[in-house]
Amino acid sequence: MISGFKDFIMRGNIVDLAIAVVTGAAFAALVTAFSNAFINPLIKLVTGGGAVGGKFTVNGVDFDYGLFITALITFLLTMAVIYFVVVVPYNKFRERLAKPVEAAPAGPSNEEKLLMEIRDALRAR
């Protein structure tokens, strides 16, 4: 039972998944820090600056749309980097490892068909 569990844990896809989760969490923290340090202040500056930038108030309730825009940009940056840094190279790597697909044999050429007809005609005599 322990041996089966060890085999399950040591499978390549489980280890790859664990690495991906840890890397994704670290990368998400990095992108969030970038967004909070640069994107959010930039949004506040563009939308009025200061404490009121990036939000509006209705009946004393603040709606901080700047945080939403920052989160959206963070998400898009994260997905773009994952796609271009992980997915594209991984797909190219898999293409290289894939066995070449053998082309289906082509049907007989016109010349071969003609020769088969002649052969069949000769046999029929």
Side-chain angles (χ1 to χ4, degrees):
M1 188 154 132
I2 299 295
S3 160
F5 180 71
K6 179 183 170 191
D7 292 341
F8 171 73
I9 293 297
M10 296 308 291
R11 269 191 214 153
N13 54 0
I14 299 294
V15 174
D16 292 343
L17 180 61
I19 292 170
V21 168
V22 171
T23 304
F27 182 72
L30 178 66
V31 173
T32 301
F34 173 79
S35 296
N36 290 336
F38 295 103
I39 304 295
N40 201 16
L42 184 63
I43 290 170
K44 286 184 178 189
L45 183 66
V46 169
T47 59
V52 297
K55 66 180 168 182
F56 62 91
T57 305
V58 176
N59 291 334
V61 177
D62 290 334
F63 292 87
D64 197 349
Y65 64 88
L67 289 178
F68 174 74
I69 294 172
T70 301
L72 180 65
I73 292 172
T74 301
F75 173 76
L76 293 175
L77 283 173
T78 304
M79 291 299 108
V81 170
I82 287 174
Y83 178 75
F84 290 112
V85 174
V86 177
V87 173
V88 170
Y90 179 72
N91 287 340
K92 289 187 187 263
F93 177 72
R94 286 190 55 170
E95 287 175 8
R96 287 186 185 177
L97 290 181
K99 294 179 181 177
V101 178
E102 294 181 20
S109 66
N110 289 337
E111 198 173 275
E112 290 172 335
K113 289 178 186 176
L114 182 61
L115 288 172
M116 286 188 281
E117 288 176 15
I118 293 171
R119 178 197 62 202
D120 293 343
L122 289 173
R123 282 187 185 162
R125 284 190 189 180

